[in-house]
Structure formats: structure tokens, C-alpha cells
Amino acid sequence: MFQIFGIDREALALILGASHSSHPREFVGVLRAREGVIQEVLLLPGTLSSDESALLRLRMLPIDPSACGTVHSHPSTSVSPSQADLALFSKFGRVHIIIAAPYDERSWRAYDHHGNKIELKVVRGTGQPI
Ligand code: ZN
């Protein structure tokens, strides 16, 4: 099993765009990785109005062996995980991204399943860091 070390720039762009267009509601999604790089974001359909409902939706997901973690947005400027976020992280996945307003390339952070901050490189495909 590969260590997750990066995120494809296209996947990150998708996250930024989806978060922006969902504002002031939350955006939630599931991350899929290949060869240690997050390549795909599965957007979860439905109307979400709060952190609680976003997390509830994630908890109800069927177990998907290709999923490596989750992403959700905070309409505030805080990228810190809530207690509910930490509870979710500990249950599922290896990497979790929180993106906060204003949803730009500096307003996101990645965490491991303990809620410790981790570094993800932005790469192209599964290739070299940009
Ligand atoms: Zn949250």
C-alpha cells in the first residue's frame, strides 16, 4: 500500500471549484488515490447545510476499497478539524482534506487519521512535484 504523498493539481482544482460553488454550504467528497497520489474526487450529491450533515453523509458511505479519505469544506476561514471531523477521520481513510474560505491554493490543509497535519505535494498526474 502506497503512502499518500501528493495530490494531482487537477483534483485540487476540482476541490477548489466545488468548494467555491457550494459556498456558503459545505462541499463534501471522497478521495481516491493511485500510486500515492490523490487522483480523483467523488462529489457527494445532495444539499448540505452544516458541518454535521456533511459528516453524516460521509459516515453513511458504503465502504469503498479504492477510497483513501475524505474532503470537505468549511464556509469559515478555519481549516482546523472540529471534534466531529476528528471522530470521522479516526474511523475511515488515511488522508483527509479540509478546505476553508476563500478556497484558494493556500486555504486547505491535509490531516492523517489521527488529525495530525500532513504535507501533500501538488503534482501533475502521478509524476514529479511542480
Ligand atoms: Zn469540518
Side-chain angles (χ1 to χ4, degrees):
M1 187 173 277
F2 286 92
Q3 183 72 29
I4 308 290
F5 68 89
I7 181 167
D8 175 64
R9 66 188 305 188
E10 301 287 329
L12 180 59
L14 187 84
I15 290 169
L16 297 175
S19 299
H20 198 268
S21 58
S22 299
H23 188 84
R25 292 174 309 180
E26 294 220 339
F27 150 74
V28 295
V30 173
L31 303 172
R32 281 182 169 163
R34 196 167 61 244
E35 295 173 31
V37 175
I38 295 163
Q39 300 283 347
E40 264 193 309
V41 184
L42 306 180
L43 310 185
L44 300 187
T47 300
L48 303 164
S49 56
S50 71
D51 208 27
E52 282 298 312
S53 65
L55 293 165
L56 191 63
R57 192 165 284 269
L58 286 169
R59 282 198 201 97
M60 293 188 308
L61 276 181
I63 302 296
D64 176 347
S66 68
C68 67
T70 68
V71 55
H72 73 281
S73 64
H74 283 172
S76 70
T77 56
S78 169
V79 291
S80 298
S82 66
Q83 286 303 312
D85 290 342
L86 291 170
L88 174 73
F89 295 176
S90 69
K91 285 197 180 109
F92 165 80
R94 290 178 285 150
V95 56
H96 300 275
I97 293 174
I98 295 176
I99 171 159
Y103 316 118
D104 65 23
E105 277 159 28
R106 291 175 305 280
S107 63
W108 61 279
R109 194 173 287 172
Y111 300 91
D112 68 12
H113 72 283
H114 297 298
N116 298 313
K117 187 183 167 187
I118 58 175
E119 295 295 331
L120 286 183
K121 290 189 171 77
V122 179
V123 301
R124 194 190 300 271
T126 54
Q128 298 300 309
I130 294 166

